[in-house]
C-alpha cells in the first residue's frame, strides 16, 4: 500500500520507514518489521474475526506470508503483522476507492435490507497503531486493525457523500432492486465483514476515530481525504 507512506512518515519519521520488506536486507541491525496485511485473509464473509480465527488460502495470505518470510530472512528480531480493515485516506485503493467512485458518479444507491457492516480504518489510525505496537516492546505477532465502529455500507457511503460535497444518494426498496441490474449486488452488500481489535486495544492505548466521523468532521486541505 504505497499510499500509506505519508501517514507512516508522520508517525515514525523518514529514517525509520522502510516501505518494502525487500529493502530490509540492507539493514542488518533491523530489530522490528511491521508487515501491513489485510483482513481479506479471513475470507469473503466474516463477523468479529479475531487473530486466532482460521484464514483462507488467497492472494492476501500469500502476500502476508511472503513479507513475513522476507523479514525473517533479513534478520528481524520482532515481526508485527497488522491485518488491516479496508483503509480510507488520500490515494486509497480497493473497496473504499470503488465505493467513492460509485458515490461520486451517482451510481451508488441505498437499498433497504442490503446494509451489511464493514470494518474500515482511516490511514492515520493505521499508522498510529503501527507506531504504538512498535513502541510496545513485548508486542509481537498478528494484530487486527480497524476503527472498531464497523459502519454499515450505507453509513460509510453517506459519510463519503458528505466529504464529496453533499453528493445525493438515492434510496431504493429491496423489492424494486430485485428487478433492476443492481439486484446482483444485493447478496454482496449484505455481507458482514468485521474484525475484532480487542488484542490491539489490550496491548496498547489505541483509540481510533470512527471513519464516518473523521470524514464528516476533519478539516482537510483541498487534495486530501
Amino acid at each position: 500500500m504505497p499510499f500509506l507512506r505519508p501517514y507512516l512518515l508522520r508517525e515514525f519519521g523518514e529514517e525509520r520507514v522502510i516501505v518494502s520488506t525487500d529493502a530490509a536486507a540492507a539493514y542488518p541491525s533491523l530489530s522490528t518489521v511491521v508487515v501491513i496485511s489485510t483482513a481479506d485473509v479471513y475470507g469473503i464473509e466474516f463477523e468479529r474475526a479475531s487473530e486466532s480465527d482460521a484464514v483462507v488460502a488467497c492472494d492476501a495470505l500469500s502476500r502476508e506470508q511472503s513479507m513475513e518470510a522476507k523479514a525473517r530472512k533479513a534478520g528481524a528480531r520482532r515481526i508485527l503483522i497488522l491485518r488491516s480493515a479496508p483503509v480510507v485516506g488520500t490515494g486509497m485503493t480497493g473497496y473504499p476507492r470503488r465505493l467513492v467512485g460509485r458515490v461520486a458518479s451517482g451510481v451508488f444507491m441505498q437499498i433497504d435490507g442490503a446494509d451489511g457492516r464493514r470494518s474500515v480504518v482511516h490511514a492515520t489510525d493505521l499508522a498510529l497503531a503501527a507506531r504504538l505496537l512498535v513502541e510496545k516492546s513485548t508486542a509481537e505477532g498478528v494484530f487486527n486493525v480497524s476503527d472498531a465502529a464497523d459502519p454499515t455500507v450505507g453509513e460509510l457511503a453517506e459519510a463519503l457523500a458528505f466529504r464529496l460535497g453533499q453528493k445525493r444518494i438515492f434510496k431504493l426498496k429491496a423489492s424494486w432492486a430485485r428487478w433492476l441490474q443492481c439486484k446482483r449486488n444485493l447478496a454482496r452488500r449484505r455481507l458482514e465483514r468485521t474484525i475484532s481489535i480487542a488484542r490491539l486495544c489490550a496491548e496498547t492505548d489505541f483509540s481510533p476515530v470512527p471513519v464516518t466521523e473523521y470524514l464528516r468532521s476533519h478539516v482537510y486541505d483541498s487534495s486530501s481525504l
Side-chain angles (χ1 to χ4, degrees):
M1 301 181 189
F3 78 91
L4 288 175
R5 181 178 175 83
Y7 298 95
L8 291 168
L9 288 175
R10 282 199 289 269
E11 289 292 337
F12 289 97
E14 182 78 41
E15 73 281 357
R16 296 183 64 191
V17 173
I18 302 171
V19 173
S20 170
T21 51
D22 289 329
Y27 297 80
S29 62
L30 195 68
S31 61
T32 300
V33 168
V34 178
V35 172
I36 306 294
S37 184
T38 83
D40 290 344
V41 300
Y42 296 118
I44 296 175
E45 183 173 17
F46 42 89
E47 190 169 355
R48 304 297 294 167
S50 69
E51 295 85 351
S52 60
D53 285 355
V55 294
V56 300
C58 59
D59 290 344
L61 182 60
S62 296
R63 286 193 296 270
E64 177 184 297
Q65 293 171 336
S66 174
M67 288 188 289
E68 181 181 7
K70 290 174 181 177
R72 293 193 185 283
K73 186 176 180 180
R77 293 188 290 275
R78 184 167 64 123
I79 299 175
L80 297 161
I81 299 174
L82 275 57
R83 288 180 178 163
S84 174
V87 184
V88 174
T90 304
M92 61 191 169
T93 59
Y95 168 70
R97 175 68 262 175
R98 294 193 298 272
L99 184 57
V100 167
R102 293 177 64 82
V103 171
S105 64
V107 174
F108 181 88
M109 288 185 287
Q110 290 269 37
I111 303 174
D112 290 342
D115 224 9
R117 292 193 172 276
R118 305 296 172 90
S119 287
V120 288
V121 66
H122 197 276
T124 299
D125 280 325
L126 177 55
L128 172 62
R131 180 177 62 79
L132 292 174
L133 286 167
V134 167
E135 292 176 350
K136 183 70 176 290
S137 61
T138 56
E140 189 169 0
V142 179
F143 294 87
N144 290 338
V145 186
S146 81
D147 71 355
D150 301 336
T152 64
V153 174
E155 289 168 346
L156 183 57
E158 290 283 0
L160 288 167
F162 180 89
R163 168 66 188 128
L164 293 170
Q166 303 278 17
K167 289 287 293 185
R168 184 178 180 185
I169 294 181
F170 294 94
K171 297 185 179 181
L172 190 67
K173 292 183 178 180
S175 57
W176 296 352
R178 286 195 293 269
W179 299 102
L180 300 175
Q181 185 177 7
C182 59
K183 66 183 179 180
R184 294 179 300 177
N185 296 325
L186 280 173
R188 186 165 61 249
R189 290 266 292 272
R190 291 188 179 113
L191 290 178
E192 297 284 333
R193 292 174 59 89
T194 61
I195 57 178
S196 168
I197 63 168
R199 183 170 189 240
L200 172 61
C201 293
E203 287 281 354
T204 70
D205 60 354
F206 183 60
S207 182
V209 177
V211 166
T212 52
E213 180 183 327
Y214 199 104
L215 289 169
R216 291 179 181 275
S217 63
H218 184 70
V219 179
Y220 296 90
D221 60 48
S222 61
S223 63
S224 296
L225 186 64

